[in-house]
Amino acid sequence: NVSSLFCSGSRSSKTFKPKKNIPEGSHQYELLKHAEATLGSGNLRMAVMLPEGEDLNEWVAVNTVDFFNQINMLYGTITDFCTEESCPVMSAGPKYEYHWADGTNIKKPIKCSAPKYIDYLMTWVQDQLDDETLFPSKIGVPFPKNFMSVAKTILKRLFRVYAHIYHQHFDPVIQLQEEAHLNTSFKHFIFFVQEFNLIDRRELAPLQELIEKLTSKDR
């Protein structure tokens, strides 16, 4: 039973999911290096564009893995503040509450605390990223027909972790001097999903004002 497994796990054991590594020497690794180099230039709009001659699925795959690792790390810094007591429901401000369902183990959405929701979410994402039929790491292995819809669901869910951090835990982010890091990561994420139309505008509503503020300087 999945849910009892999470309930019994101690708080500390769930802080970090292992980092998902892209194998060195692979084409995807080269793409990741390219992404890091263009990010270094500071122009995020340029950095998210599909490099010439590259496969869109592969580009989306590499960046999705990268965002998973970034969000994993950012959330890991504030887990002490995100507890069953402080966050009994998974929310992004008073108007937005999220209930968890993955369609397989949990078909009917369940109301759960933010740490439990995020644990479910990150474990689910990790399972998708580790599935070679969905995220093939070997050259020449084709992406499945439904790859884009899977990637969109992953990114939609990862967005909720940013939304929860911004709405409920921004004070500790400032105390930990993580604000610039969080903003840069989120801005990169938003430019990426905007570039390829990967998240429905309605889903982005909890952070709409912030998105406008962060992206208006780079029109």
Side-chain angles (χ1 to χ4, degrees):
N1 178 328
V2 179
S3 57
S4 64
L5 189 82
F6 283 112
C7 300
S8 61
S10 73
R11 185 85 200 105
S12 59
S13 69
K14 68 145 290 294
T15 308
F16 268 130
K17 300 274 164 253
K19 194 169 191 291
K20 167 87 175 140
N21 284 318
I22 290 175
E24 264 186 72
S26 68
H27 183 61
Q28 292 186 4
Y29 188 78
E30 297 304 311
L31 274 181
L32 183 65
K33 288 284 156 246
H34 170 88
E36 283 168 0
T38 50
L39 274 174
S41 72
N43 184 335
L44 289 169
R45 282 256 182 252
M46 291 292 290
V48 297
M49 288 176 181
L50 180 65
E52 207 172 323
E54 291 299 342
D55 175 54
L56 179 60
N57 285 346
E58 198 152 36
W59 183 238
V60 169
V62 166
N63 281 277
T64 300
V65 170
D66 192 35
F67 289 127
F68 168 77
N69 287 336
Q70 286 183 42
I71 293 166
N72 194 8
M73 201 166 70
L74 286 162
Y75 181 68
T77 63
I78 57 105
T79 47
D80 289 348
F81 305 94
C82 185
T83 64
E84 301 283 325
E85 295 72 41
S86 69
C87 304
V89 294
M90 172 64 177
S91 65
K95 289 202 302 226
Y96 301 96
E97 188 177 299
Y98 300 113
H99 297 175
W100 179 254
D102 58 14
T104 45
N105 296 320
I106 301 171
K107 291 191 168 65
K108 193 166 174 255
I110 56 167
K111 194 170 178 168
C112 54
S113 68
K116 191 160 287 153
Y117 184 102
I118 291 170
D119 198 16
Y120 278 137
L121 187 156
M122 296 305 263
T123 302
W124 177 84
V125 172
Q126 198 176 16
D127 288 345
Q128 311 304 302
L129 300 181
D130 287 341
D131 183 343
E132 281 288 326
T133 63
L134 280 177
F135 280 78
S137 57
K138 294 176 186 66
I139 293 198
V141 176
F143 282 84
K145 296 263 189 294
N146 66 333
F147 173 74
M148 269 305 165
S149 68
V150 172
K152 284 177 177 177
T153 305
I154 291 172
L155 293 164
K156 174 180 83 177
R157 289 177 171 173
L158 288 175
F159 167 81
R160 295 170 181 179
V161 184
Y162 280 121
H164 180 72
I165 295 172
Y166 272 112
H167 276 283
Q168 310 300 130
H169 302 295
F170 200 58
D171 288 345
V173 166
I174 292 170
Q175 283 161 21
L176 294 162
Q177 297 179 320
E178 288 274 334
E179 187 185 354
H181 183 182
L182 175 65
N183 285 344
T184 303
S185 173
F186 181 62
K187 191 170 167 180
H188 179 202
F189 179 89
I190 286 302
F191 279 175
F192 191 81
V193 299
Q194 285 178 343
E195 175 73 13
F196 303 107
N197 272 331
L198 298 168
I199 301 183
D200 195 305
R201 274 182 70 89
R202 284 172 316 205
E203 284 285 339
L204 300 173
L207 294 178
Q208 197 49 52
E209 282 173 35
L210 176 69
I211 290 168
E212 279 162 21
K213 196 171 114 188
L214 288 176
T215 57
S216 63
K217 297 185 194 72
D218 296 84
R219 287 262 178 261

